[in-house]
Every structure is written in structure tokens, then in C-alpha cells.
Amino acid sequence: MATSSWHPDSWRSFPAAQQPDWPDLDSLREVGKTLSELPPLVFAGESRNLQSQLGEVCRGEAFLLQAGDCAESFSDLTADLIRDKLRVILQMSVVLTYSAGMPVVKVGRIAGQFAKPRSSPTETVDEVELPSFRGHIINDPVFTADARVPQAERLIAAYHQASATLNLLRAFTKGGFADLQQVHSWNQEFVASSPLGQRYEQVASGIDAALRFMKACGFASEHEPKLHTVNLYTSHEALLLDYEEALTRIDSLTGDWYNCSAHMLWVGERTRQHDGAHLEFLRGVNNPLACKLGPTATPEEALGICDILNPDRIPGRLTLISRMGASKIAEALPPLVEAVRDAEHPVVWACDPMHGNTFTSSIGRKTRHFDDICAEINAFFAVHRALGTHPGGIHLELTGENVTECLGGSSELDHLDLEERYETVCDPRLNASQSLDLAFRVAELLTEKRNSPLTLE
Ligand code: PEP
Ligand code: CO
């Protein structure tokens, strides 16, 4: 496959897992045509910048923070929600940068993270069987036959929502909100009064003092854009290939193909087959890419993915995201890391501590425990330290709101609390306090890494 010729639609001759059963292929084609004539959402040059920053992560000089919703919702498009999500990512990022002294590459699961792979194509409730909800870009979560019919026009709605979200993100990140002088104002009220919020305040005060010090030394910080603006890149799972194909364009500067629906795209655990449509599509676009690897992934599979997606071995081109589960990572991850290291494939290793740690709570809610999330991240760092590779980043599902979807954390959410504000349309997300809590723990791991090598138990 990797040597055959590539075109944005060459994936169509390969088996494509997890695609909806479209009732009306004509309207899907029409929608594809409409989308292919709409403006790109991101620019190729931005994707190249991200790839070069991921190259730094690859070399152990920076850390990747990739985070956002499991699935963005068509009913949740408000400025406040977008701002709050950005705010928690910025807070986490300053904690990591300040405590660990490492640049943080910030990538949102945002502005396009709509399509969801499902473990079963149908869902049965009270003996009624309907197609599963596959994300708002495809159908609606309400459990009625009408709502679950895939509708092609939703691809256009998703494009416009991604565009509005990205517009606001660009305004927030470049227009003053992300200015390091605002670092105190990112502390949300419901977090600020807690011990965690106070710990964040100490970091913020430290940053203030550093800025004052630089100014006193004559450093013209008002003219340094890096202190006043932030680069937040976008990413999503490239699952729905009709959408991805329609937004794939030739970059006029380089003549290369880029997927202009997001800066970075990943392929999920359920669609990463070597001979499948998803790898075929992704190998031809020049964006930085990622691939999820679950506990059944073999070293041969991981190496095959490296060869297909990054045959030229470009640092920053490929991120491998392990999502093993806290109880499996110590056994499942080392053979993969060793194989990739020994083959000298330059990859960013990131840890998704969410998707291998999902279970159903006693009250029937899908949830994750903060302790399992931390345990998987600890093990991820231990594996990389033992093997001499860089634990390059974390990949999280979170929101800036005070939701109650994951258990534990500093406010010790328990099973009964899940009923209070369980708002996700798909998987359970960390709330703002749990996210900040996690950032402090990861910062400690990054600092330890510098100070002492760890061995695997
Ligand atoms: C996801 O990232 O939301 C997801 C479905 O992940 P995975 O493919 O690892 O299960
Ligand atoms: Co998810």
C-alpha cells in the first residue's frame, strides 16, 4: 500500500471501518462537493509549525499537551464553554512550563472533534435496537429511530461549528486573553478557593515576579509576542473519511497535500489496520499525525504504522498515543517502545490515560477514576525512563466546566456525585479542578525525570 499512488480519494478502494450506513449516498456526494469548495479551516504553514514543535518533543526538548472533549456537541456551542476549555488548557500549560521548565506544545481536541467510533453498531434499550450514536457530525444521541438516522447535512453543520470555534480560539489566543500577564485571571472561581487553586496562585505569582524581574533588567517584554499570545493547535480523530477528504487541499506554497480540517489528525484504536482506508488516507496528507495504540497492539503493528505513516522518518510527523489501561500498561507498552526505539523511528510517545480506564459505575454511568488516570501516567513515565526514551506528552479528555463525570481527584467525587452534572455526549471528562490537579502531578513527574532515572518495578 505505502508505495502505491495516493489521492485524497484513494482510501475508497480500501475497507473503511466505523463508517455510518448512509441512507442517501447522493446527498453525501453533494455535501462532499459543497465542503470541498468551502475555505480551509487551517493553513498548511500552521501544520508545518506544529510538526516542527513536535520535532522538539521528539528530541525530548518539549512536552505535548493534547486535550479537549471526547466529542464536541452541536448543542454546546457557546463562547463561555470555548473560553473555559482554553483557560484550563492554559492553566495546565503554565503549571507544566513553570514547574518543569519545559516548553509545552498545546493541541486541542477541538474545532472538529465530532465523529466517534463505537464498540457496537447498534444500541438496545428496553428491547428496542437502534443504530448507535456516532457523534453529532453523523446523527443525534436522542434514542429514537429518526434521531439515529445518519444525515449528510450534518457534515456542513460540523464544518461551520468548527469554523466558529476556531475563530474564537484565534481571537482568545492572539487577542489578549492568553497574555501571561493574565495568568491570575485564568483561575476559575470554583477552583480558586480550593487548596489546588491556591497552589496555582503560587505559580501565577511566580510568573508575575519573573515578568517584573525581566522588565527591571531592561527586557522589553511588551514587544515579545511569545509572552502575550499562545499557539493552540487543533486536532481530531480523522474517522469520517468523506469529511476529511473534502477538506484536503494542495498547499499553494509547497504543492503538497494537507488536510485543512485541523492541524493534527489521529487514527483511532479501532481504525488503525495496516490495509485499511484510514491509514491509506492519512499517509498522503502532510499534517502531523498520531495513532492510538491499545493493549493488544503488537510491535509489528506499531512498526508497520511507523513505516506507513512516516516512511521518511521525519521527527514530529508521527505521535504514538498509548491507551493501555492502568493495569496493563507496564506489560503492554515496553515491547512497543523498544521495537520503535530499536528501529530508530523518531516518534513522539504520548499517554492517553483515559480510554483504557473506562468502566460503568454502580449507578450505571460510564466513568473513569482519577487514581487510575494518574496510575497510568506514572507507569508511562516509568516505562520511558527505564527504556531511555522521552515520555513526550499526555492526551486527555477534559472540559473547563465543573462537571461530575470522572471519580476522585482533590474534591473526591464519588459514585453518587456523578448524577449532579454529568453532561458529556460521549466519554466522561476530567473537570477543571481534576485537570489542574493532574497538571501538578505530571509536572512533578517531569521534574523527577530530570533529577533521577527511574527503573521499572
Ligand atoms: C477517542 O480518542 O475518543 C477514542 C475513541 O479513542 P480510542 O480510539 O483510543 O478508543
Ligand atoms: Co473518548
Side-chain angles (χ1 to χ4, degrees), residues 141-215:
V142 172
F143 194 74
T144 64
D146 275 356
R148 294 293 172 93
V149 175
Q151 288 175 308
E153 303 72 43
R154 286 177 171 267
L155 274 67
I156 308 270
Y159 167 88
H160 287 298
Q161 176 156 336
S163 158
T165 304
L166 193 50
N167 181 51
L168 198 64
L169 285 175
R170 290 189 193 277
F172 277 136
T173 51
K174 306 293 173 194
F177 180 79
D179 193 315
L180 264 189
Q181 282 164 347
Q182 300 295 318
V183 72
H184 288 283
S185 71
W186 301 337
N187 214 353
Q188 292 215 62
E189 270 160 42
F190 68 87
V191 183
S193 53
S194 67
L196 194 62
Q198 284 155 18
R199 197 170 167 198
Y200 173 78
E201 277 304 312
Q202 285 173 7
V203 169
S205 301
I207 291 171
D208 275 350
L211 290 174
R212 277 197 306 274
F213 173 75
M214 286 189 324
K215 195 165 181 200

Side-chain angles (χ1 to χ4, degrees), residues 70 109 116 355 368 397 427:
C70 177
R109 290 176 59 116
K116 297 312 300 171
H355 288 91
R368 291 155 174 163
E397 289 184 344
D427 289 342

